[in-house]
């Protein structure tokens, strides 16, 4: 069975070990995170901060 997350567009995506990369975009004016991105097998998915944190926690286990 796979562990998944859902992106902002409603796509359900499998988390693939060693093929999942987390990154963020930063607003040039405020310096705050403007977008959370989870890339799986070279395909980026935009997610909310809660999903990003949950996937980050899962990958760090």
């Amino acid at each position: 069975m796979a562990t998944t997350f859902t992106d902002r567009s409603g796509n359900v995506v499998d988390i693939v070990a060693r093929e999942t990369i987390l990154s963020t975009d930063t607003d040039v004016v405020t310096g705050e995170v403007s977008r959370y991105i989870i890339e799986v097998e070279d395909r980026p998915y935009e997610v909310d901060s809660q999903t990003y944190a949950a996937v980050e926690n899962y990958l760090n286990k």
Side-chain angles (χ1 to χ4, degrees):
M1 289 184 65
T3 300
T4 65
F5 65 89
T6 303
D7 73 356
R8 289 194 178 264
S9 298
N11 299 307
V12 177
V13 183
D14 290 349
I15 299 171
V16 180
R18 291 173 262 176
E19 295 293 327
T20 302
I21 300 168
L22 303 171
S23 63
T24 57
D25 288 346
T26 306
D27 184 279
V28 70
V29 175
T30 65
E32 294 180 15
V33 174
S34 58
R35 193 165 57 160
Y36 295 89
I37 302 164
I38 300 174
E39 187 175 318
V40 180
E41 296 180 327
D42 298 324
R43 184 165 178 198
Y45 299 92
E46 187 174 349
V47 298
D48 59 29
S49 61
Q50 183 178 7
T51 301
Y52 184 92
V55 172
E56 182 176 42
N57 188 37
Y58 175 79
L59 291 173
N60 288 330
K61 286 184 180 179

